[in-house]
Amino acid sequence: MKRLMKYLSDYKKESVLAPLFKLLEAFFELLVPLVMANIIDRGIAQKDMGYIGRMGLCLLTLAVVGLVSSITAQYFAAKAAVGFSTKLRQALFDHIQGLDFTNIDKAGTSTMITRMTSDINQVQSGVNMVLRLFLRSPIIVFGAMIMAFTIDVKSALIFVVAIPLLAVVVFGIMMWTMPLYKKVQANLDKVLGITRENLTGVRVIRAFHQEEVEEGRFRGFTKALADSQIFVGKISAVMNPVTYVIVNGAIIALIYIGAVQVNVGNLTQGEVVAIINYMSQILVELVKLANLIITITKALACADRVASVFAFENQTPEGIESGAAGNSTGDAAPFLQFDHVAFAYAGAGANTLHGIDFSVRKGETVGIIGGTGSGKSSLVNLVSRFYDVTNGKVLVDGVDVRDYPLGQLRDKIGVVMQKAVLFKGTIRENLLWGNENASEEELWDALRTAQAEEFVMKKEGKLEEMIEQEGRNLSGGQKQRLSIARALVKKPEILILDDSASALDYATDAALRKSIREMPGETTVFIVSQRASSLLHADTIIVLDDGAVAGMGKHEELLEKCEVYQEIYYSQFERREVE
């Protein structure tokens, strides 16, 4: 929680004024029993209606001033808490945006969403309650005890016994429930995870008629969440009845002792009522304090979870060299080189890639093919440093990619991921992600190359046509072509197409590859595909098998010498006798 408090620094004034006004309210509240005692002992006992009226006005004044103090305190507390949570949420979002793929894989999407929403909301409630009640409730408790001592020491000794008992109950339950609330939030993560999984894969679930199975899984996770919430709720619920028993027992003792003291003339009836009122105030404040501690317990547990995300440190540190001193002095020199590269995902038991060694000249087209799980996407992700190599080096223009500043390296690269991702907004806004300063002509050139011009022209709004979140109003092929156009707008030196034409028909795929080959400039292109037809005209085809290079060369060479490539190719085309 201390790590997060820096986001409250802009609200120092509100953080001071809120508890101060609450203390002012508490001070006026402590005066009420004394005023009531005077009304009973002087006004009612002596039948002095004028005095009763004056004291009644005094009570009304205390109530109004207390109400104004309370509203002012709540305003400042709410302003500080909401401002704090806004800054914290923005800082967390910025931090998550800067995390590398390794940390995102480690944390998980559902966990990040819970931290950004539920956890920060709980922390906000905790800050709000602390500013309002953390000082007020203890001041009322101890202030009431002190005021009771000023009235009668013997009666006030009951407070000395009752308050420690209440403290043991309250803080004991707090220490018990704190780890349990962390478990509740962890179970909430799991529920969010399975919900997201089911919403994402709803078509597959229905296609395989697995609704009942998934409903059963969901019930299991929600039952675990409900059980943990009920269990911790039962423990927390014990606090109120136990505190009521202790306080009411203390009130019974006060009435008994007070009656004896009144009989012997040591106390007046008004003073006994005042002491009982102070004990009632303690009861109310301890109930508030108990609820406050429950809220603080939740907030601390959630704050630890939020802080744990801030604790994630990127495994891909920024390079410091400019990269301008590359050693590619001619067409024969390699522009991009994998130098005995091995790679393993964090926590994996074995390498995903090993022994990868090849070089590519500027302007060449490299095809990468292999079975599912052979490491195709892992290989191209190393170029843009979405992940870093475990061993070996990846060189771009003669410089290790780890020596480039990330921004400079990724400015050279245009990546189209396996899953086409579009954002809510116009077609123009999505394309400008590639280059925010791109001209109208450059946007249409990119659409033309990506074979997307035709369907965009048919849209009523053309470039201003709205795209729904994740491109729900577009077909799979349209989304892929717009994703490719977005990368082309960037005019990258290296273009990586990671199985990004899987939803296109063969004719559109062929036209796309032809357009990319005819692009002006010397763009080095990596095409990752399951289709052998997509790679037939590549300058070099790399065949991966279980993370290693099984073959490398042109289509004809591989078809003659590489068994893995033969198996892939002939599974897609009829085997014909060579004449």
Side-chain angles (χ1 to χ4, degrees):
M1 190 72 180
K2 290 180 181 178
R3 183 172 183 173
L4 307 184
M5 282 299 101
K6 64 182 179 181
Y7 301 106
L8 199 58
S9 59
D10 290 340
Y11 299 93
K12 291 178 181 177
K13 181 183 73 175
E14 289 81 1
S15 300
V16 172
L17 289 176
L20 281 179
F21 275 99
K22 271 295 178 181
L23 288 179
L24 186 62
E25 179 200 359
F27 173 74
F28 289 121
E29 191 169 330
L30 288 172
L31 295 178
V32 170
L34 294 179
V35 176
M36 284 301 302
N38 286 330
I39 289 175
I40 293 170
D41 290 338
R42 292 181 57 182
I44 296 175
Q46 299 175 16
K47 298 181 182 179
D48 185 349
M49 299 305 293
Y51 186 80
I52 293 173
R54 290 194 299 275
M55 289 297 102
L57 286 175
C58 182
L59 284 176
L60 183 61
T61 303
L62 289 174
V64 171
V65 174
L67 177 63
V68 172
S69 299
S70 177
I71 292 172
T72 306
Q74 296 206 27
Y75 167 77
F76 285 123
K79 184 177 179 181
V82 171
F84 161 78
S85 66
T86 301
K87 288 182 176 292
L88 176 59
R89 190 176 283 111
Q90 183 64 57
L92 184 62
F93 181 80
D94 292 343
H95 182 73
I96 291 172
Q97 288 293 308
L99 290 178
D100 57 25
F101 281 23
T102 300
N103 280 315
I104 291 173
D105 293 344
K106 187 189 302 181
T109 305
S110 60
T111 298
M112 297 291 192
I113 292 171
T114 308
R115 303 292 195 272
M116 285 282 296
T117 53
S118 174
D119 285 344
I120 290 183
N121 287 340
Q122 290 284 4
V123 176
Q124 176 184 325
S125 297
V127 171
N128 192 0
M129 293 290 281
V130 165
L131 292 177
R132 286 168 49 196
L133 297 176
F134 191 68
L135 286 179
R136 181 189 188 280
S137 292
I139 289 296
I140 289 283
V141 170
F142 290 105
M145 184 175 68
I146 292 167
M147 296 298 284
F149 269 102
T150 63
I151 296 172
D152 182 57
V153 174
K154 187 174 181 180
S155 300
L157 290 174
I158 296 171
F159 287 73
V160 177
V161 176
I163 290 176
L165 284 175
L166 291 167
V168 168
V169 170
V170 169
F171 288 101
I173 290 176
M174 182 188 75
M175 297 305 294
W176 191 3
T177 54
M178 189 177 290
L180 295 177
Y181 279 117
K182 290 183 180 180
K183 185 178 179 182
V184 168
Q185 292 300 114
N187 285 333
L188 180 60
D189 280 348
K190 294 176 183 177
V191 171
L192 286 174
I194 192 172
T195 302
R196 180 176 178 275
E197 185 179 286
N198 276 269
L199 289 174
T200 304
V202 64
R203 296 175 188 272
V204 176
I205 291 168
R206 290 178 179 173
F208 287 90
H209 193 55
Q210 293 295 302
E211 292 94 337
E212 291 185 5
V213 174
E214 291 303 315
E215 284 175 11
R217 286 182 65 212
F218 185 78
R219 283 195 195 96
F221 282 111
T222 51
K223 186 177 185 302
L225 175 60
D227 289 345
S228 60
Q229 285 178 321
I230 290 169
F231 180 66
V232 72
K234 285 178 178 178
I235 296 171
S236 298
V238 170
M239 191 180 296
N240 279 2
V242 173
T243 52
Y244 270 98
V245 167
I246 295 171
V247 170
N248 284 310
I251 290 175
I252 291 170
L254 280 174
I255 293 172
Y256 175 77
I257 293 173
V260 173
Q261 294 286 80
V262 169
N263 282 338
V264 298
N266 291 336
L267 281 178
T268 64
Q269 292 173 337
E271 288 173 335
V272 172
V273 170
I275 292 173
I276 292 173
N277 281 341
Y278 282 127
M279 182 58 77
S280 297
Q281 283 185 351
I282 289 174
L283 171 62
V284 172
E285 291 306 319
L286 282 170
V287 170
K288 288 182 183 178
L289 189 60
N291 292 328
L292 170 64
I293 288 171
I294 291 171
T295 303
I296 292 174
T297 302
K298 290 180 182 177
L300 289 173
C302 293
D304 286 343
R305 287 156 52 83
V306 173
S308 69
V309 178
F310 282 112
F312 287 143
E313 295 182 1
N314 281 337
Q315 305 301 311
T316 52
E318 284 271 2
I320 56 173
E321 294 187 14
S322 68
N327 59 13
S328 293
T329 56
D331 292 338
F335 171 62
L336 191 147
Q337 184 178 1
F338 277 68
D339 183 6
H340 298 91
V341 166
F343 168 68
Y345 288 100
N351 284 343
T352 301
L353 297 171
H354 50 91
I356 307 296
D357 193 73
F358 66 89
S359 59
V360 181
R361 290 194 298 272
K362 196 162 192 173
E364 286 189 337
T365 297
V366 179
I368 301 174
I369 195 168
T372 302
S374 59
K376 304 185 296 296
S377 295
S378 300
L379 188 146
V380 293
N381 282 338
L382 299 178
V383 178
S384 49
R385 288 195 73 198
F386 292 148
Y387 298 94
D388 269 344
V389 298
T390 308
N391 290 304
K393 291 186 290 186
V394 178
L395 306 171
V396 172
D397 207 17
V399 178
D400 192 324
V401 293
R402 289 170 292 188
D403 293 333
Y404 279 95
L406 283 174
Q408 184 180 344
L409 173 67
R410 289 174 183 169
D411 280 343
K412 294 175 175 284
I413 302 169
V415 182
V416 185
M417 299 285 193
Q418 282 180 301
K419 182 182 178 183
V421 176
L422 297 173
F423 298 91
K424 186 175 182 179
T426 63
I427 292 175
R428 181 191 302 277
E429 288 169 347
N430 273 273
L431 293 179
L432 289 177
W433 276 61
N435 177 7
E436 61 183 11
N437 299 315
S439 66
E440 189 92 0
E441 183 181 351
E442 288 173 327
L443 296 180
W444 283 109
D445 283 345
L447 289 168
R448 198 172 298 117
T449 302
Q451 307 303 302
E453 181 185 32
E454 182 182 354
F455 84 81
V456 172
M457 287 295 294
K458 290 179 181 178
K459 298 289 184 183
E460 185 178 344
K462 304 293 189 296
L463 290 176
E464 306 307 323
E465 184 74 15
M466 283 297 298
I467 296 175
E468 293 183 11
Q469 187 175 352
E470 295 188 355
R472 285 194 296 264
N473 56 336
L474 300 175
S475 69
Q478 290 172 337
K479 286 193 286 186
Q480 285 190 337
R481 282 177 279 172
L482 283 180
S483 298
I484 294 169
R486 180 173 58 198
L488 293 173
V489 168
K490 191 175 185 178
K491 296 182 179 178
E493 296 180 39
I494 302 170
L495 177 63
I496 298 173
L497 304 177
D498 187 359
D499 205 12
S500 56
S502 57
L504 304 184
D505 57 69
Y506 283 94
T508 306
D509 186 16
L512 171 65
R513 285 183 280 108
K514 183 174 182 293
S515 296
I516 289 174
R517 284 199 305 273
E518 294 173 353
M519 286 192 307
E522 292 185 296
T523 302
T524 304
V525 182
F526 282 83
I527 301 176
V528 178
S529 181
Q530 301 273 15
R531 294 178 181 174
S533 62
S534 299
L535 309 179
L536 295 180
H537 301 289
D539 298 301
T540 304
I541 299 174
I542 299 171
V543 184
L544 293 180
D545 183 35
D546 196 22
V549 176
M552 190 184 305
K554 291 186 177 292
H555 164 69
E556 294 79 8
E557 300 170 8
L558 294 170
L559 197 60
E560 182 180 346
K561 300 177 181 177
C562 181
E563 291 184 8
V564 176
Y565 186 76
Q566 290 171 2
E567 183 180 340
I568 295 170
Y569 182 80
Y570 289 124
S571 69
Q572 299 173 17
F573 297 93
E574 281 188 35
R575 184 186 292 270
R576 291 181 292 184
E577 294 295 331
V578 179
E579 299 181 356

